[in-house]
Amino acid sequence: MIANLKPLEIVLIIAVILLLFGAKKLPDMARSLGKSARILKSEAKAMKKDDEPAAPTTETVADTAPPAATARTIQAAPGDVASSRPVGEAKPTTQS
């Protein structure tokens, strides 16, 4: 269906999008879409990595337990620490 569009129809669609959202918001929307795609890709990789069976070793079960101090974090973009969040930790609650 998209392959059947003529150049004039594509220009008309782009013009309508510009009128609806404005030229100032389009770069922000594209940036947000890119961040979302990166997050989705990293989450898919993490899920695929979690599903892979571990290689059998001769270590005991007590030796293979991961240390409790390490926490896995997910970052929205490389170097973007403002949007990173720990995974699997409970948030501390304060009661007044």
Side-chain angles (χ1 to χ4, degrees):
M1 179 176 154
I2 294 176
N4 295 335
L5 293 177
K6 297 176 185 164
L8 182 62
E9 293 170 342
I10 294 173
V11 170
L12 183 64
I13 291 171
I14 291 173
V16 169
I17 290 173
L18 278 172
L19 286 174
L20 287 175
F21 298 109
K24 292 181 181 179
K25 285 198 173 197
L26 286 178
D28 292 334
M29 291 173 55
R31 200 171 297 118
S32 297
L33 184 65
K35 280 185 178 181
S36 299
R38 280 193 296 270
I39 291 172
L40 181 66
K41 186 176 179 181
S42 67
E43 289 291 331
K45 278 185 181 179
M47 287 176 63
K48 190 179 285 188
K49 187 177 179 181
D50 289 343
D51 288 342
E52 291 177 359
T57 60
T58 58
E59 298 176 2
T60 62
V61 176
D63 292 339
T64 61
T70 58
R72 192 179 80 170
T73 58
I74 298 172
Q75 290 184 343
D80 184 14
V81 295
S83 61
S84 64
R85 59 182 171 83
V87 177
E89 287 185 14
K91 294 182 181 178
T93 58
T94 58
Q95 295 178 352
S96 300

